[in-house]
Amino acid sequence: MLPFGSARPPQEDILSPEMREYAMKIYREAWDAYKGANCPYGETDEAMLVWYSFRRTSDGENVVVGKN
C-alpha cells in the first residue's frame, strides 16, 4: 500500500506518477478524516488503517475490507 511500509517495492510494482499522485490524495483524505475523529487509535498509519477499516460510512453500512 502506498505510502505505507519502508521496504522498497519490486520494480514491476512501482506506481506510475499519475497513480502515485492519486494514491497520495486518497492517503491524505484518509488521514484528514482520521484526524477529524481525533485519532482514536493513536497517531500512526497502522492505527489510522484500523479505524478506517472499521468506521461506518455515511449511510450506516460498515466498510468491508480484506478477508475475515
Side-chain angles (χ1 to χ4, degrees):
M1 285 180 93
L2 179 81
F4 305 110
S6 59
R8 185 179 173 100
Q11 189 66 27
E12 64 272 9
D13 290 342
I14 294 177
L15 298 174
S16 69
E18 295 82 9
M19 287 301 296
R20 185 169 179 81
E21 182 179 335
Y22 186 71
M24 288 300 296
K25 177 183 179 285
I26 292 170
Y27 173 76
R28 285 190 289 272
E29 288 174 2
W31 259 105
D32 287 344
Y34 185 58
K35 286 178 185 174
N38 296 316
C39 300
Y41 299 110
E43 295 183 9
T44 66
D45 284 342
E46 292 83 5
M48 185 268 294
L49 281 174
V50 169
W51 173 82
Y52 201 82
S53 295
F54 294 108
R55 74 181 176 86
R56 294 196 178 271
T57 60
S58 59
D59 62 4
E61 295 288 326
N62 283 336
V63 176
V64 178
V65 294
K67 287 182 149 183
N68 288 333

